[in-house]
Amino acid sequence: MSKTLPIYLDNHSTTKPDPRVVEAMLPYLTERYGNAASEHGVGWVARGAVENAREQVAALLGAGTEEIVFTSGATESVNLAIKGIAEAYGSRGRHLITAATEHRAVLDTCSVLERHGFSVTVLPVDGQGLLSPSEVERAMSGETILVSIMAANNEIGTIAPLEEIGALCRSRGVLLHSDATQAVGRIPFDVSRVPVDLVSFSAHKMHGPKGAGALYVRSSAPRIRLVQQIDGGGHERGVRSGTANVPAIVGFGEAAAVAALEMEEEMDRISSLRDRLVEGIISRINDARLNGHPERRLPNNANLTFPGTEADRVILEMKEIALSTGSACSSASPEPSHVLRAIGLDRAEAVASIRFGLSRFTTGEEIDYTIGRLAEVVERQRRPAEKLQNTGR
Ligand SMILES: *Cc1c(COP(=O)(O)O)cnc(C)c1O
């Protein structure tokens, strides 16, 4: 165990590529540079590597290889899933259901469909970020074609009751898509157990490279139809045209294989480090509060509110620790996190909150250092405000 600066605790926004992943990729950036669609020896080598990666990724989910479509990342997968289903099933019905705590990739895609004549119900969640299956049932009508619910939240880590929601969707003949970007590779996610029809996920959230993602598309019981959103050479069985990003896909496959092998042990280790972080913070910092569900949460996630502080300023002062207030994908927006607002935090509480994301590479020393620094910085930043109050200014 050791601590090297900077300490990286922003693993919900991206993760460090595992050295085994980088090693697997290197030959495909150098001598094995072929186009996986080419019909000659150089192309066949690339194609073999892509198909091997497809097996590794499929195995992680308990899926068939024909059910995995490679994309550039989860955002593209989500767009393909939701728009592709809307286009394929739009003649059957024009209503979609999702939740207020979804990632912008889902919410913004649904907004685009609203402009194209679909109606979207955005369901509220409870104070711990949980969506109730009965809310989903109440929102369903004969027009509903798709429910899109994330497997685990990228800010507060809450794990959705996907089995129940999936069973409900099945019984009503409605399709279920899940943005499982934070779940796949971190917690067990098995499509033979969870009745989900489409699953979006991404390599760079599970110690793979950026630029590769996948969409799982169920091929039987039921067989899902999907209209492609990128037209061209007919790659990925016509569902996603464009030359395959072979090195990134090879890295994705290796990341999936490593995750499958080490997940169980890693979940234990990381969740106990996370618990040490939360307990340390709560015992050292007055009024610090944990957001999200106390048990139903990702092993690597903690999200805490430090009333009386501005998280941006706290993070800025701890330059040697990479942390964020919320989703990197909406960090261009000055609005406080829509996820924290959806679980009932007011504006001031939302901007006083910090997200912690641990990983395979997080050590106990890093956790202890972070607790100490945080206690010091929060205390210092709270103090001047108290002084000002005391002098009546
Ligand atoms: C990171 C993330 C995405 C976007 O993934 P990219 O691969 O970066 O496009 C989508 N959904 C969730 C929940 C995420 O955490």
Side-chain angles (χ1 to χ4, degrees), residues 12-13 72-76 78 103 105 150 152-154 179-182 201-205 212 329:
H12 297 296
S13 71
S72 64
T75 300
E76 189 193 328
V78 166
H103 191 273
M150 69 199 325
N153 188 270
N154 54 303
D179 173 357
T181 312
Q182 295 291 338
F201 54 108
S202 191
H204 77 98
K205 302 290 179 89
C329 313

Side-chain angles (χ1 to χ4, degrees), residues 239-250:
V239 180
R240 198 275 188 179
S241 287
T243 301
N245 183 352
V246 179
I249 289 170
V250 166

Side-chain angles (χ1 to χ4, degrees), residues 13-345:
S13 71
T14 196
T15 58
K16 178 183 174 173
D18 190 292
R20 291 165 283 188
V21 165
V22 177
E23 196 185 337
M25 290 173 67
L26 279 175
Y28 296 90
L29 291 160
T30 53
E31 69 271 20
R32 300 184 202 160
Y33 51 79
N35 184 324
S38 296
E39 291 301 343
H40 48 58
V42 181
W44 295 331
V45 168
R47 183 139 83 245
V50 168
E51 293 317 311
N52 181 56
R54 202 185 306 277
E55 280 174 25
Q56 292 169 310
V57 169
L60 180 62
L61 270 76
T65 50
E66 75 287 358
E67 298 179 306
I68 299 296
V69 178
F70 284 125
T71 66
S72 64
T75 300
E76 189 193 328
S77 298
V78 166
N79 273 263
L80 173 57
I82 298 178
K83 292 174 182 168
I85 289 294
E87 226 177 303
Y89 293 82
S91 57
R92 189 197 280 184
R94 298 180 79 77
H95 178 234
L96 286 76
I97 298 172
T98 187
T101 48
E102 291 291 314
H103 191 273
R104 289 248 73 93
V106 169
L107 293 174
D108 291 357
T109 300
C110 286
S111 298
V112 168
L113 288 178
E114 274 185 314
R115 295 205 293 275
H116 292 289
F118 287 82
S119 70
V120 179
T121 302
V122 181
L123 292 173
V125 296
D126 70 12
Q128 300 178 325
L130 269 185
L131 174 67
S132 109
S134 62
E135 289 264 5
V136 178
E137 183 161 35
R138 257 200 303 281
M140 282 181 178
S141 75
E143 278 284 303
T144 311
I145 52 170
L146 181 71
V147 172
S148 185
I149 300 297
M150 69 199 325
N153 188 270
N154 54 303
E155 294 191 32
I156 55 174
T158 302
I159 297 171
L162 269 192
E163 290 87 349
E164 289 96 314
I165 294 169
L168 183 69
C169 290
R170 273 285 149 80
S171 73
R172 301 284 293 257
V174 174
L175 301 179
L176 176 62
H177 165 249
S178 184
D179 173 357
T181 312
Q182 295 291 338
V184 172
R186 289 204 177 117
I187 56 174
F189 192 100
D190 187 336
V191 294
S192 65
R193 212 172 43 78
V194 184
V196 62
D197 300 302
L198 304 115
V199 181
S200 296
F201 54 108
S202 191
H204 77 98
K205 302 290 179 89
M206 44 184 274
H207 302 296
K210 291 160 192 69
L215 180 64
Y216 160 81
V217 186
R218 192 173 289 281
S219 65
S220 65
R223 178 179 180 81
I224 306 302
R225 288 177 292 125
L226 199 61
V227 175
Q228 78 279 4
Q229 300 298 306
I230 297 180
D231 296 297
H235 308 78
E236 297 293 298
R237 299 161 166 249
V239 180
R240 198 275 188 179
S241 287
T243 301
N245 183 352
V246 179
I249 289 170
V250 166
F252 191 7
E254 181 65 21
V258 172
L261 205 66
E262 301 186 351
M263 181 185 299
E264 210 167 312
E265 196 187 314
E266 211 157 66
M267 279 171 53
D268 275 353
R269 194 187 72 84
I270 295 174
S271 63
S272 57
L273 282 180
R274 188 270 318 277
D275 294 344
R276 173 159 149 193
L277 175 72
V278 172
E279 282 155 24
I281 287 174
I282 287 179
S283 69
R284 299 267 311 262
I285 303 176
N286 282 341
D287 305 331
R289 282 197 306 270
L290 182 68
N291 298 310
H293 198 282
E295 290 105 35
R296 271 193 85 98
R297 75 185 305 140
L298 288 170
N300 71 325
N301 172 276
N303 186 307
L304 290 114
T305 302
F306 303 95
T309 68
E310 280 169 40
D312 282 346
R313 288 183 52 226
V314 173
I315 289 170
L316 203 63
E317 198 173 330
M318 303 191 300
K319 284 196 173 46
E320 75 283 24
I321 309 176
L323 277 168
S324 94
T325 54
S327 175
C329 313
S330 21
S331 57
S333 133
E335 282 301 301
S337 153
H338 71 282
V339 174
L340 297 177
R341 298 289 275 137
I343 61 169
L345 271 63

